[in-house]
mmCIF file of all heavy atoms in Angstrom:
data_model
loop_
_atom_site.group_PDB
_atom_site.id
_atom_site.type_symbol
_atom_site.label_atom_id
_atom_site.label_comp_id
_atom_site.label_asym_id
_atom_site.label_seq_id
_atom_site.Cartn_x
_atom_site.Cartn_y
_atom_site.Cartn_z
ATOM 1 N N PHE A 1 -0.342 113.159 19.425
ATOM 2 C CA PHE A 1 0.476 113.570 18.278
ATOM 3 C C PHE A 1 0.712 112.408 17.309
ATOM 4 O O PHE A 1 1.630 112.456 16.495
ATOM 5 C CB PHE A 1 1.828 114.106 18.753
ATOM 6 C CG PHE A 1 1.729 115.366 19.567
ATOM 7 C CD1 PHE A 1 1.777 115.309 20.955
ATOM 8 C CD2 PHE A 1 1.573 116.593 18.959
ATOM 9 C CE1 PHE A 1 1.680 116.468 21.711
ATOM 10 C CE2 PHE A 1 1.478 117.754 19.705
ATOM 11 C CZ PHE A 1 1.525 117.684 21.092
ATOM 12 N N THR A 2 -0.123 111.377 17.426
ATOM 13 C CA THR A 2 0.078 110.189 16.595
ATOM 14 C C THR A 2 -1.209 109.781 15.895
ATOM 15 O O THR A 2 -2.299 110.210 16.267
ATOM 16 C CB THR A 2 0.569 108.998 17.445
ATOM 17 O OG1 THR A 2 -0.472 108.612 18.364
ATOM 18 C CG2 THR A 2 1.815 109.345 18.211
ATOM 19 N N LYS A 3 -1.068 108.949 14.884
ATOM 20 C CA LYS A 3 -2.180 108.257 14.252
ATOM 21 C C LYS A 3 -2.211 106.862 14.859
ATOM 22 O O LYS A 3 -1.307 106.049 14.609
ATOM 23 C CB LYS A 3 -1.990 108.196 12.738
ATOM 24 C CG LYS A 3 -3.143 107.514 12.017
ATOM 25 C CD LYS A 3 -2.901 107.474 10.512
ATOM 26 C CE LYS A 3 -4.070 106.798 9.799
ATOM 27 N NZ LYS A 3 -3.859 106.729 8.326
ATOM 28 N N TYR A 4 -3.233 106.588 15.644
ATOM 29 C CA TYR A 4 -3.243 105.363 16.454
ATOM 30 C C TYR A 4 -4.656 104.805 16.496
ATOM 31 O O TYR A 4 -5.624 105.547 16.693
ATOM 32 C CB TYR A 4 -2.750 105.689 17.866
ATOM 33 C CG TYR A 4 -2.667 104.511 18.801
ATOM 34 C CD1 TYR A 4 -2.047 103.330 18.405
ATOM 35 C CD2 TYR A 4 -3.194 104.587 20.089
ATOM 36 C CE1 TYR A 4 -1.958 102.254 19.267
ATOM 37 C CE2 TYR A 4 -3.107 103.521 20.957
ATOM 38 C CZ TYR A 4 -2.488 102.352 20.552
ATOM 39 O OH TYR A 4 -2.409 101.286 21.402
ATOM 40 N N ASN A 5 -4.768 103.490 16.285
ATOM 41 C CA ASN A 5 -6.084 102.848 16.316
ATOM 42 C C ASN A 5 -6.155 101.687 17.302
ATOM 43 O O ASN A 5 -7.016 100.812 17.198
ATOM 44 C CB ASN A 5 -6.476 102.364 14.916
ATOM 45 C CG ASN A 5 -5.513 101.310 14.389
ATOM 46 O OD1 ASN A 5 -4.568 100.914 15.076
ATOM 47 N ND2 ASN A 5 -5.731 100.860 13.166
ATOM 48 N N ILE A 6 -5.227 101.644 18.246
ATOM 49 C CA ILE A 6 -5.128 100.637 19.302
ATOM 50 C C ILE A 6 -4.534 99.321 18.785
ATOM 51 O O ILE A 6 -3.736 98.684 19.475
ATOM 52 C CB ILE A 6 -6.501 100.351 19.974
ATOM 53 C CG1 ILE A 6 -7.055 101.621 20.619
ATOM 54 C CG2 ILE A 6 -6.375 99.261 21.040
ATOM 55 C CD1 ILE A 6 -8.402 101.420 21.274
ATOM 56 N N ILE A 7 -4.903 98.899 17.579
ATOM 57 C CA ILE A 7 -4.476 97.597 17.060
ATOM 58 C C ILE A 7 -3.061 97.665 16.493
ATOM 59 O O ILE A 7 -2.202 96.859 16.842
ATOM 60 C CB ILE A 7 -5.463 97.103 15.978
ATOM 61 C CG1 ILE A 7 -6.859 96.954 16.572
ATOM 62 C CG2 ILE A 7 -4.990 95.779 15.387
ATOM 63 C CD1 ILE A 7 -7.924 96.606 15.566
ATOM 64 N N THR A 8 -2.819 98.646 15.633
ATOM 65 C CA THR A 8 -1.487 98.766 15.010
ATOM 66 C C THR A 8 -0.637 99.774 15.774
ATOM 67 O O THR A 8 -1.174 100.614 16.522
ATOM 68 C CB THR A 8 -1.631 99.230 13.550
ATOM 69 O OG1 THR A 8 -2.315 100.493 13.518
ATOM 70 C CG2 THR A 8 -2.425 98.213 12.743
ATOM 71 N N PRO A 9 0.670 99.714 15.622
ATOM 72 C CA PRO A 9 1.542 100.666 16.329
ATOM 73 C C PRO A 9 1.242 102.111 15.943
ATOM 74 O O PRO A 9 0.821 102.400 14.816
ATOM 75 C CB PRO A 9 2.951 100.254 15.877
ATOM 76 C CG PRO A 9 2.816 98.828 15.461
ATOM 77 C CD PRO A 9 1.447 98.699 14.875
ATOM 78 N N ALA A 10 1.444 102.993 16.889
ATOM 79 C CA ALA A 10 1.182 104.413 16.649
ATOM 80 C C ALA A 10 2.223 105.001 15.700
ATOM 81 O O ALA A 10 3.395 104.625 15.727
ATOM 82 C CB ALA A 10 1.195 105.165 17.976
ATOM 83 N N LYS A 11 1.774 105.933 14.858
ATOM 84 C CA LYS A 11 2.650 106.626 13.920
ATOM 85 C C LYS A 11 2.573 108.123 14.189
ATOM 86 O O LYS A 11 1.482 108.704 14.213
ATOM 87 C CB LYS A 11 2.244 106.332 12.476
ATOM 88 C CG LYS A 11 2.392 104.866 12.082
ATOM 89 C CD LYS A 11 1.989 104.662 10.628
ATOM 90 C CE LYS A 11 2.136 103.194 10.223
ATOM 91 N NZ LYS A 11 1.717 102.982 8.808
ATOM 92 N N PHE A 12 3.713 108.734 14.377
ATOM 93 C CA PHE A 12 3.769 110.167 14.664
ATOM 94 C C PHE A 12 3.250 110.971 13.472
ATOM 95 O O PHE A 12 3.667 110.748 12.327
ATOM 96 C CB PHE A 12 5.203 110.573 14.994
ATOM 97 C CG PHE A 12 5.358 112.035 15.291
ATOM 98 C CD1 PHE A 12 4.950 112.560 16.501
ATOM 99 C CD2 PHE A 12 5.921 112.893 14.352
ATOM 100 C CE1 PHE A 12 5.097 113.910 16.779
ATOM 101 C CE2 PHE A 12 6.068 114.245 14.624
ATOM 102 C CZ PHE A 12 5.652 114.742 15.846
ATOM 103 N N ASN A 13 2.316 111.884 13.740
ATOM 104 C CA ASN A 13 1.794 112.736 12.650
ATOM 105 C C ASN A 13 1.781 114.219 13.036
ATOM 106 O O ASN A 13 1.029 115.006 12.474
ATOM 107 C CB ASN A 13 0.390 112.289 12.237
ATOM 108 C CG ASN A 13 -0.633 112.436 13.361
ATOM 109 O OD1 ASN A 13 -0.277 112.806 14.488
ATOM 110 N ND2 ASN A 13 -1.892 112.155 13.078
ATOM 111 N N GLY A 14 2.612 114.581 14.002
ATOM 112 C CA GLY A 14 2.771 115.985 14.356
ATOM 113 C C GLY A 14 1.503 116.620 14.892
ATOM 114 O O GLY A 14 0.799 116.047 15.727
ATOM 115 N N LEU A 15 1.195 117.802 14.383
ATOM 116 C CA LEU A 15 0.043 118.572 14.866
ATOM 117 C C LEU A 15 -1.227 118.308 14.055
ATOM 118 O O LEU A 15 -2.193 119.067 14.167
ATOM 119 C CB LEU A 15 0.372 120.063 14.823
ATOM 120 C CG LEU A 15 1.516 120.536 15.727
ATOM 121 C CD1 LEU A 15 1.814 122.000 15.465
ATOM 122 C CD2 LEU A 15 1.170 120.310 17.199
ATOM 123 N N PHE A 16 -1.230 117.234 13.275
ATOM 124 C CA PHE A 16 -2.377 116.968 12.403
ATOM 125 C C PHE A 16 -3.672 116.849 13.204
ATOM 126 O O PHE A 16 -4.713 117.400 12.802
ATOM 127 C CB PHE A 16 -2.134 115.685 11.600
ATOM 128 C CG PHE A 16 -3.306 115.295 10.733
ATOM 129 C CD1 PHE A 16 -3.512 115.918 9.508
ATOM 130 C CD2 PHE A 16 -4.213 114.331 11.153
ATOM 131 C CE1 PHE A 16 -4.594 115.575 8.709
ATOM 132 C CE2 PHE A 16 -5.294 113.985 10.362
ATOM 133 C CZ PHE A 16 -5.489 114.603 9.140
ATOM 134 N N ASN A 17 -3.641 116.117 14.327
ATOM 135 C CA ASN A 17 -4.859 115.929 15.127
ATOM 136 C C ASN A 17 -5.375 117.252 15.676
ATOM 137 O O ASN A 17 -6.593 117.483 15.732
ATOM 138 C CB ASN A 17 -4.591 114.961 16.281
ATOM 139 C CG ASN A 17 -4.377 113.539 15.806
ATOM 140 O OD1 ASN A 17 -4.863 113.163 14.739
ATOM 141 N ND2 ASN A 17 -3.656 112.754 16.584
ATOM 142 N N TYR A 18 -4.465 118.133 16.085
ATOM 143 C CA TYR A 18 -4.888 119.418 16.632
ATOM 144 C C TYR A 18 -5.400 120.349 15.527
ATOM 145 O O TYR A 18 -6.285 121.174 15.771
ATOM 146 C CB TYR A 18 -3.728 120.067 17.392
ATOM 147 C CG TYR A 18 -3.427 119.357 18.691
ATOM 148 C CD1 TYR A 18 -2.462 118.356 18.752
ATOM 149 C CD2 TYR A 18 -4.124 119.661 19.856
ATOM 150 C CE1 TYR A 18 -2.194 117.689 19.941
ATOM 151 C CE2 TYR A 18 -3.862 119.009 21.048
ATOM 152 C CZ TYR A 18 -2.900 118.013 21.083
ATOM 153 O OH TYR A 18 -2.650 117.343 22.262
ATOM 154 N N GLN A 19 -4.858 120.232 14.340
ATOM 155 C CA GLN A 19 -5.384 120.999 13.217
ATOM 156 C C GLN A 19 -6.776 120.502 12.825
ATOM 157 O O GLN A 19 -7.643 121.285 12.447
ATOM 158 C CB GLN A 19 -4.429 120.884 12.024
ATOM 159 C CG GLN A 19 -3.086 121.560 12.249
ATOM 160 C CD GLN A 19 -2.088 121.250 11.139
ATOM 161 O OE1 GLN A 19 -2.320 120.374 10.313
ATOM 162 N NE2 GLN A 19 -0.972 121.973 11.131
ATOM 163 N N LYS A 20 -6.973 119.190 12.957
ATOM 164 C CA LYS A 20 -8.269 118.600 12.634
ATOM 165 C C LYS A 20 -9.358 119.092 13.586
ATOM 166 O O LYS A 20 -10.532 119.196 13.211
ATOM 167 C CB LYS A 20 -8.165 117.079 12.698
ATOM 168 C CG LYS A 20 -9.413 116.351 12.224
ATOM 169 C CD LYS A 20 -9.199 114.841 12.260
ATOM 170 C CE LYS A 20 -10.466 114.119 11.816
ATOM 171 N NZ LYS A 20 -10.277 112.639 11.851
ATOM 172 N N LEU A 21 -8.974 119.417 14.823
ATOM 173 C CA LEU A 21 -9.946 119.920 15.810
ATOM 174 C C LEU A 21 -10.664 121.159 15.296
ATOM 175 O O LEU A 21 -11.863 121.333 15.529
ATOM 176 C CB LEU A 21 -9.240 120.260 17.129
ATOM 177 C CG LEU A 21 -8.764 119.115 18.016
ATOM 178 C CD1 LEU A 21 -7.969 119.670 19.185
ATOM 179 C CD2 LEU A 21 -9.942 118.299 18.528
ATOM 180 N N LEU A 22 -9.927 122.019 14.605
ATOM 181 C CA LEU A 22 -10.470 123.302 14.177
ATOM 182 C C LEU A 22 -11.540 123.166 13.101
ATOM 183 O O LEU A 22 -12.374 124.065 12.943
ATOM 184 C CB LEU A 22 -9.335 124.201 13.681
ATOM 185 C CG LEU A 22 -8.217 124.484 14.700
ATOM 186 C CD1 LEU A 22 -7.115 125.310 14.051
ATOM 187 C CD2 LEU A 22 -8.773 125.187 15.928
ATOM 188 N N ARG A 23 -11.528 122.068 12.373
ATOM 189 C CA ARG A 23 -12.515 121.880 11.313
ATOM 190 C C ARG A 23 -13.452 120.697 11.572
ATOM 191 O O ARG A 23 -14.114 120.215 10.652
ATOM 192 C CB ARG A 23 -11.799 121.697 9.967
ATOM 193 C CG ARG A 23 -10.799 120.567 9.924
ATOM 194 C CD ARG A 23 -10.131 120.477 8.551
ATOM 195 N NE ARG A 23 -9.253 119.315 8.451
ATOM 196 C CZ ARG A 23 -7.978 119.305 8.792
ATOM 197 N NH1 ARG A 23 -7.417 120.425 9.239
ATOM 198 N NH2 ARG A 23 -7.259 118.206 8.673
ATOM 199 N N ASP A 24 -13.476 120.231 12.798
ATOM 200 C CA ASP A 24 -14.331 119.096 13.169
ATOM 201 C C ASP A 24 -15.685 119.626 13.651
ATOM 202 O O ASP A 24 -15.826 120.067 14.792
ATOM 203 C CB ASP A 24 -13.660 118.264 14.262
ATOM 204 C CG ASP A 24 -14.395 116.961 14.530
ATOM 205 O OD1 ASP A 24 -15.541 116.806 14.051
ATOM 206 O OD2 ASP A 24 -13.835 116.094 15.231
ATOM 207 N N ASP A 25 -16.687 119.575 12.790
ATOM 208 C CA ASP A 25 -18.028 120.065 13.151
ATOM 209 C C ASP A 25 -18.682 119.195 14.215
ATOM 210 O O ASP A 25 -19.472 119.683 15.030
ATOM 211 C CB ASP A 25 -18.915 120.121 11.901
ATOM 212 C CG ASP A 25 -18.437 121.176 10.910
ATOM 213 O OD1 ASP A 25 -17.819 122.157 11.361
ATOM 214 O OD2 ASP A 25 -18.679 121.003 9.699
ATOM 215 N N LYS A 26 -18.382 117.902 14.210
ATOM 216 C CA LYS A 26 -18.953 117.000 15.218
ATOM 217 C C LYS A 26 -18.451 117.364 16.614
ATOM 218 O O LYS A 26 -19.208 117.340 17.580
ATOM 219 C CB LYS A 26 -18.603 115.549 14.893
ATOM 220 C CG LYS A 26 -19.326 114.985 13.680
ATOM 221 C CD LYS A 26 -19.001 113.508 13.494
ATOM 222 C CE LYS A 26 -19.773 112.935 12.305
ATOM 223 N NZ LYS A 26 -19.457 111.494 12.114
ATOM 224 N N LEU A 27 -17.171 117.708 16.703
ATOM 225 C CA LEU A 27 -16.618 118.117 17.992
ATOM 226 C C LEU A 27 -17.284 119.398 18.486
ATOM 227 O O LEU A 27 -17.602 119.527 19.670
ATOM 228 C CB LEU A 27 -15.105 118.317 17.883
ATOM 229 C CG LEU A 27 -14.416 118.860 19.140
ATOM 230 C CD1 LEU A 27 -14.589 117.907 20.311
ATOM 231 C CD2 LEU A 27 -12.938 119.127 18.868
ATOM 232 N N LYS A 28 -17.502 120.343 17.577
ATOM 233 C CA LYS A 28 -18.167 121.591 17.960
ATOM 234 C C LYS A 28 -19.568 121.311 18.500
ATOM 235 O O LYS A 28 -20.006 121.925 19.473
ATOM 236 C CB LYS A 28 -18.236 122.540 16.760
ATOM 237 C CG LYS A 28 -16.868 123.010 16.280
ATOM 238 C CD LYS A 28 -16.982 123.849 15.010
ATOM 239 C CE LYS A 28 -15.599 124.232 14.492
ATOM 240 N NZ LYS A 28 -15.670 124.991 13.223
#
């Protein structure tokens, strides 16, 4: 539920990552 790149602290972004799953052609 965060925007995280290992280097900088994680930032909460709600359901954004799960919404991104639905339109991620690479994941499909």
Side-chain angles (χ1 to χ4, degrees):
F1 295 99
T2 66
K3 182 180 180 181
Y4 182 48
N5 62 2
I6 299 179
I7 300 174
T8 59
K11 296 181 180 179
F12 179 76
N13 63 356
L15 297 174
F16 177 80
N17 290 335
Y18 289 93
Q19 293 171 349
K20 187 177 179 180
L21 287 174
L22 302 176
R23 56 181 185 272
D24 189 347
D25 293 332
K26 289 184 178 180
L27 175 61
K28 295 175 184 177

